[in-house]
Amino acid sequence: MHGRYGWRTVLGWPRAAFAATTFAGATALAIGTLTLHDSTARYAAVILLIGVCGLAAGVVVQLRHVLTHPVVADDEVSLTADVMMRVDDARAGAAPTAVWSVWSLPVVSVFSTAFGWWNAAWLAFIVLSVIAQALIEARTERSAMVARHVVSAP
């Protein structure tokens, strides 16, 4: 397979679903906060929404680049290295660590208020995301194995 690779090859269903769920969860929490009467919480939610939208756009652009960049490989070793790098780049770009970090500013700004469900939801979101990330990492093939399967495919 010396052509372009699809997102299922370089990213896979579990990571794609996890990335979409992470962005959707962050967006839902922020939108839910916009309905409150606490101006500090609403301000934090606006910052979070802007950050999440920017991150989502960045992930889409990076994944598009990984998927559309031409393959430059003359032999099996070069092709294997190319696929491994694409898989690693796609996985790193879709990892939720950026979404987790964009939470820091809004959370810091509302931690001191009596806004209990925001804090509980944020902590649950992070803890569940970390557990899901660990399970996905443990259960999916390493980039070297993906590359070997792609290179050996007819």
Side-chain angles (χ1 to χ4, degrees):
M1 181 177 194
H2 294 276
R4 293 187 175 155
Y5 312 110
W7 65 269
R8 286 184 213 122
T9 301
V10 297
L11 190 58
W13 275 105
R15 282 184 172 80
F18 183 52
T21 302
T22 302
F23 280 102
T27 302
L29 284 171
I31 288 172
T33 306
L34 289 174
T35 63
L36 298 177
H37 297 294
D38 182 352
S39 63
T40 303
R42 283 196 317 266
Y43 177 73
V46 168
I47 292 171
L48 179 60
L49 281 172
I50 292 168
V52 167
C53 289
L55 286 170
V59 168
V60 168
V61 167
Q62 182 179 7
L63 188 56
R64 182 181 179 276
H65 176 75
V66 167
L67 294 173
T68 61
H69 194 66
V71 175
V72 182
D74 294 331
D75 57 15
E76 188 174 323
V77 173
S78 299
L79 182 59
T80 302
D82 181 80
V83 174
M84 284 175 59
M85 287 187 289
R86 287 172 193 270
V87 170
D88 289 340
D89 288 349
R91 289 177 178 183
T97 51
V99 175
W100 296 337
S101 65
V102 81
W103 276 85
S104 22
L105 181 58
V107 169
V108 166
S109 67
V110 296
F111 246 164
S112 61
T113 67
F115 191 47
W117 79 265
W118 170 276
N119 297 335
W122 173 76
L123 290 172
F125 179 77
I126 298 296
V127 169
L128 292 174
S129 296
V130 168
I131 292 168
Q133 178 74 20
L135 290 172
I136 289 169
E137 288 294 325
R139 294 177 178 252
T140 56
E141 290 183 320
R142 303 287 176 237
S143 58
M145 289 302 296
V146 172
R148 282 190 210 114
H149 288 135
V150 168
V151 172
S152 66

